[in-house]
Each structure stands twice: as C-alpha cells, then as structure tokens.
Amino acid sequence: MKKITWLLLTGLLLIGIVVPGCSSGTAKLQVATDATWPPFEFIDTKTTEIKGFDIDVMTAIAEKASLDIEFVNVGWDPLLAGMAQGTYDLAISSITITEDRKKEMLFSDPYFAAGQMVVVAKDNSSITGHEDLDGVVGAQIGTTGAFEIDKIDAATLKTYDDIGLAFQDLINGQIIAVVCDNPLALDYVKENPDKMKTVGEAFTDEYYGIAIAKANADIVGPINDAIAALKAEGKFDELSKKWLQ
Ligand code: ARG
C-alpha cells in the first residue's frame, strides 16, 4: 500500500477513536455507592435499579446544585480506596465522617445521624447490648461497626465484604452477633423478624456525609448549600418518612 493510504487509514482510525469520546459532551460526575446497605442504598431486585434514601438525597442535591451525576455501584473497600485515589468524583454510601477518612477525601456537612447497633439471633437471651459481646462478631470490612468490635476485648472481629453474608452467618449460628448502622440493622430485622432481633440502643454517635474527591473541592460549597436548602424545605423529613421506620 502507498504511504498516503496508510496515512488516510491511520487518520480515519484516529477520528473513529477520538470523536465518540468527545461528542458525548461534558462527562457526568461519577457518584460511587455500595448498594448493599438497605434502606440507604440497595439494588431493587425487580428492576435492578439502585435505590434508597441516599440515592434520593444525592439526586435532589444534584438537581439543586445543577450537577450532572451518574451512580456507580462498587464494593465498600474499593469505594473508599477509589475516593482516596480520585477514581470517583463523589460517593454517597452511608459514609460516617471520621478524622481518618478526612485525610483522604473531603466531606459535605452531615446529612444524617446514625449509630452502631447489635443484632443477634432471635432466641439469644444472653446478649443484651454491646458490653456482652464475648465471641465472634461480624461486620462489613472497613466500617465503623468493625472498628467498634475491635475495641471490645472479649469480642473477635470477623469481617465480610458484604454485610448480607454476615447476617447469613448469624442465622446459621456461625457468629454470635452483627454490628452495623442502626437503619440497616432495623431493616434486616424487619425483613427477618422470626430469625433475628436488635438488642440495646445505638451505642455510637455518627454522622453521614457525602464524600468528595480532593480534586473536586469546588463542589463542596454548592453541595453544602443544597443540603441546607433541602433541610429547610423539609426534603429530609419527607425522605425519612419514605424510607425509614
Ligand atoms: N457508616 C458505616 C461507615 O461509614 C458503614 C457504611 C457502609 N455503607 C455501605 N453502603 N456499605 O463505616
């Protein structure tokens, strides 16, 4: 083939590769969520859509702050790592604002107050709160629930990538309890009332924030303004009624 043909071909290839990337317009902000945490973020098994309190919150914030977003479903561990590395722009995933996490990512103002709760098998009568945890206790890896179990001397932490597997182990008698956020604990118990129960009250004070990659510092202000406006409008009360018991 002549040199000119090669040039033409190469040129066409380049156009073919580059143009579709450009023509899709400005990229949407990628919002990471670990959709295994009902009723805040979960997959609707009928529609396969990501749904929940957090999804509605983030959608309302994006509308108010004129942000073009798309949700990306990722595991909890990769979500935190990805936020630290700037793989995702934002994350909403029942994320507790902690000092350690603040070193790696930015956070919005708090939008929800939660706490850790203990869930045991329905027929357990010896554990009445987190002080009684004296065996193997399950939590999702890298969560504040896991950090709390670590602080209890008599308890041995068993971590899971997915909290659903911890509840399965609880039902099968492999572990004596699960420690997790109170909205999730109440939701699992509501779905399995004959198999498990919560004991005691929420024993930590935690606040959920939207995580924002350090490179996106410019959207922290607009997101906080949107949160304040939605609070004032009663949007959070409305969503609590819709999703929480
Ligand atoms: N609030 C806890 C934490 O920040 C657990 C959050 C887990 N969220 C999830 N979607 N898996 O550590």
Side-chain angles (χ1 to χ4, degrees):
M1 248 188 278
K2 282 192 192 133
K3 198 173 181 189
I4 191 90
T5 321
W6 276 114
L7 276 174
L8 249 169
L9 271 175
T10 320
L12 281 174
L13 267 175
L14 276 176
I15 291 167
I17 290 159
V18 172
V19 168
C22 291
S23 61
S24 59
T26 36
K28 289 175 187 282
L29 293 171
Q30 297 226 304
V31 183
T33 191
D34 169 23
T36 61
W37 208 255
F40 274 63
E41 44 270 336
F42 60 97
I43 301 287
D44 181 321
T45 44
K46 284 198 199 95
T47 64
T48 71
E49 269 177 310
I50 306 177
K51 285 193 174 164
F53 183 96
D54 274 350
I55 306 308
D56 284 357
V57 165
M58 193 64 230
T59 304
I61 290 172
E63 206 174 292
K64 271 250 180 292
S66 304
L67 302 173
D68 197 8
I69 58 161
E70 78 189 347
F71 291 100
V72 193
N73 189 14
V74 288
W76 176 249
D77 229 21
L79 180 150
L80 292 180
M83 285 310 298
Q85 289 157 12
T87 312
Y88 311 109
D89 297 294
L90 300 160
I92 190 159
S93 204
S94 309
I95 307 172
T96 301
I97 304 170
T98 69
E99 290 309 313
D100 276 347
R101 290 175 185 163
K102 274 200 225 165
K103 292 177 196 151
E104 312 212 281
M105 59 198 85
L106 306 169
F107 277 100
S108 70
D109 290 335
Y111 67 89
F112 189 83
Q116 294 308 304
M117 263 199 146
V118 180
V119 182
V120 297
K122 183 83 185 189
D123 58 4
N124 184 313
S125 54
S126 58
I127 299 170
T128 60
H130 69 286
E131 311 84 359
D132 300 333
L133 295 174
D134 59 351
V136 183
V137 182
Q140 188 178 32
I141 191 164
T143 59
T144 46
F147 304 153
E148 288 304 319
I149 298 168
D150 258 340
K151 292 184 198 161
I152 305 171
D153 285 341
T156 307
L157 170 65
K158 180 162 185 201
T159 58
Y160 298 83
D161 287 336
D162 181 328
I163 197 73
L165 301 174
F167 283 111
Q168 246 166 53
D169 264 5
L170 179 67
I171 290 170
N172 297 332
Q174 304 290 315
I175 57 178
I176 60 163
V178 171
V179 174
C180 62
D181 297 4
N182 54 342
L184 179 101
L186 295 172
D187 194 84
Y188 263 91
V189 168
K190 193 180 80 185
E191 296 299 319
N192 305 276
D194 49 330
K195 297 199 178 89
M196 48 180 118
K197 63 183 181 187
T198 60
V199 286
E201 299 296 316
F203 65 94
T204 58
D205 290 313
E206 302 181 23
Y207 296 92
Y208 292 170
I210 292 161
I212 301 148
K214 282 189 174 169
N216 295 329
D218 56 317
I219 55 177
V220 176
I223 286 177
N224 284 339
D225 292 346
I227 291 175
L230 291 167
K231 276 185 185 162
E233 283 167 21
K235 183 71 179 176
F236 284 91
D237 296 331
E238 177 198 317
L239 292 179
S240 297
K241 283 203 193 89
K242 176 176 173 189
W243 292 107
L244 309 172
Q245 39 219 323

